[in-house]
Amino acid sequence: MNSLAERVGEIVDRHDGMEGSALPILHAIQEAFGYVPSEAVPIVAKALNRTRAEIHGVVTFYHDFRSTPAGRHVVRVCKAEACKSMGSHRIVEAFETALGQKIGTTSEDGEVTLEPVYCLGLCATAPNAMIDGRPAGRLDAAAVGKLVTETLR
């Protein structure tokens, strides 16, 4: 099996010569590992002739990048204006209660990551969430309970 450094090197090599390759490289690393390991940052920085701080800044600036592994299931609850106006705070509370964890965390067993997102592009069906890449709209506490029972447990 390839080491992390070898795998990251292969990913960097696939993007060799591509202008603006930092984001595609980081996305590919996350796809390969499920997150962007801190050990990958200096490898990418060196390959792109950037500082570690610059690459770390990209990873931490964009909410789609993870610096730790996500749970087996990922629940993203929209907290943007349209969803907020339709009660997304109640949806967050319902997920927190049903899952027994706070937003912005991964459960101790590694099953579920519950995270905020600031627009899913589904404003017409607010409040919304995305569960393992599948949208769920017009949520209320009962719908959240059903989703957790049927999808996440």
Side-chain angles (χ1 to χ4, degrees), residues 36-49:
V36 179
S38 60
E39 299 88 352
V41 171
I43 298 167
V44 174
K46 183 176 181 182
L48 299 179
N49 196 29

Side-chain angles (χ1 to χ4, degrees), residues 11-71:
I11 291 167
V12 168
D13 289 346
R14 279 201 325 260
H15 296 86
D16 188 38
M18 173 189 277
E19 191 167 332
S21 62
L23 287 175
I25 288 170
L26 292 170
H27 279 292
I29 290 169
Q30 182 156 295
E31 185 174 322
F33 297 101
Y35 68 110
V36 179
S38 60
E39 299 88 352
V41 171
I43 298 167
V44 174
K46 183 176 181 182
L48 299 179
N49 196 29
R50 302 289 177 134
T51 67
R52 291 178 185 190
E54 287 175 297
I55 301 303
H56 176 76
V58 172
V59 172
T60 57
F61 177 79
Y62 291 102
H63 294 282
D64 281 341
F65 292 124
R66 304 178 187 291
S67 56
T68 58

